[in-house]
Amino acid sequence: QKEVEQDPGPLSVPEGAIVSLNCTYSNSAFQYFMWYRQYSRKGPELLMYTYSSGNKEDGRFTAQVDKSSKYISLFIRDSQPSDSATYLCAMSGPGTASKLTFGTGTRLQVTL
Amino acid sequence: GAGVSQTPSNKVTEKGKYVELRCDPISGHTALYWYRQSLGQGPEFLIYFQGTGAADDSGLPNDRFFAVRPEGSVSTLKIQRTERGDSAVYLCASSLSGGMGEETQYFGPGTRLLVL
């Protein structure tokens, strides 16, 4: 079993929809949680970062971490065609803070 | 300013050959990371440099893989006796000082390696 599980999709939604992306993990030592966006044939770029449990909001994006359930989420409001990309969750823990463990990535398609 | 750059962008080689992949990190970043991304998968950690030294090489799959960063800036990932299973996108990332979970890792576009 992988340390981080993520549904690969693809997920197709109409423009303007609210998108919910999720990851589960098994390593209780993880305490840094990130969401990266990766466009086709590009490197991942950091979208959101959260330390430990809680919520964080940045514009149309909200990241949630529930450490008790080992579950993290990314919500995208008012989705746009330009949001079409692969979304990767990533996490790390004390002692291995430099080593990110990624999920498989969820491919999102926002249609007009 | 310039981001992380990687060369070549694509590399096709034959099974058994030797390849070198280069990474130029963001100027001033002391931490440098290599990841490998297979088709349909997330990136997998290979090695992390703090300055010139490899601080964590636990992700290197076997002794055919080796990486160097002799002057603490540019890094080269070297793969000997390539196998078809080595085909993947090799991503490089850098961060300001490394070792802290909240520090952003900035990724390059990757080198797409195809072993025939």
Side-chain angles (χ1 to χ4, degrees), chain B residues 18-92:
Chain B
Y18 168 83
V19 296
E20 289 190 352
L21 312 179
R22 176 188 166 107
C23 173
D24 277 90
I26 293 172
S27 178
H29 281 192
T30 62
L32 185 145
Y33 316 80
W34 284 98
Y35 292 83
R36 178 169 69 175
Q37 187 171 25
S38 300
L39 193 63
Q41 301 296 316
E44 290 181 300
F45 171 82
L46 295 177
I47 187 169
Y48 154 55
F49 284 91
Q50 181 57 260
T52 60
D56 183 351
D57 64 357
S58 61
L60 294 177
N62 51 59
D63 61 6
R64 296 187 297 105
F65 289 75
F66 190 71
V68 295
R69 195 185 184 200
E71 297 179 357
S73 178
V74 169
S75 177
T76 304
L77 179 65
K78 308 179 182 201
I79 311 174
Q80 298 177 318
R81 304 183 304 280
T82 51
E83 299 177 357
R84 293 194 181 89
D86 298 335
S87 297
V89 176
Y90 289 81
L91 293 164
C92 177

Side-chain angles (χ1 to χ4, degrees), chain A residues 2 38 41 43 49 98 103-104, chain B residues 33 37 40-41 102 105 112:
Chain A
K2 292 185 177 181
Q38 186 174 27
R41 304 187 76 79
Y49 159 83
S98 56
T104 308
Chain B
Y33 316 80
Q37 187 171 25
Q41 301 296 316
E102 69 268 27
Q105 294 188 21
R112 280 153 192 79

Side-chain angles (χ1 to χ4, degrees), chain A residues 2 8 32 34 36 38 40-46 49 51 86 88 92 95-105, chain B residues 10 33 35 37 40-45 48 56 58-59 91 98-110 112:
Chain A
K2 292 185 177 181
Y32 305 102
M34 288 138 275
Y36 280 82
Q38 186 174 27
S40 181
R41 304 187 76 79
K42 301 287 187 184
E45 59 175 328
L46 183 66
Y49 159 83
Y51 171 68
T86 295
L88 297 153
S92 64
T96 60
S98 56
K99 174 181 173 179
L100 297 181
T101 301
F102 283 86
T104 308
Chain B
N10 294 281
Y33 316 80
Y35 292 83
Q37 187 171 25
Q41 301 296 316
E44 290 181 300
F45 171 82
Y48 154 55
D56 183 351
S58 61
L91 293 164
M100 300 296 289
E102 69 268 27
E103 199 171 80
T104 300
Q105 294 188 21
Y106 296 89
F107 282 82
R112 280 153 192 79

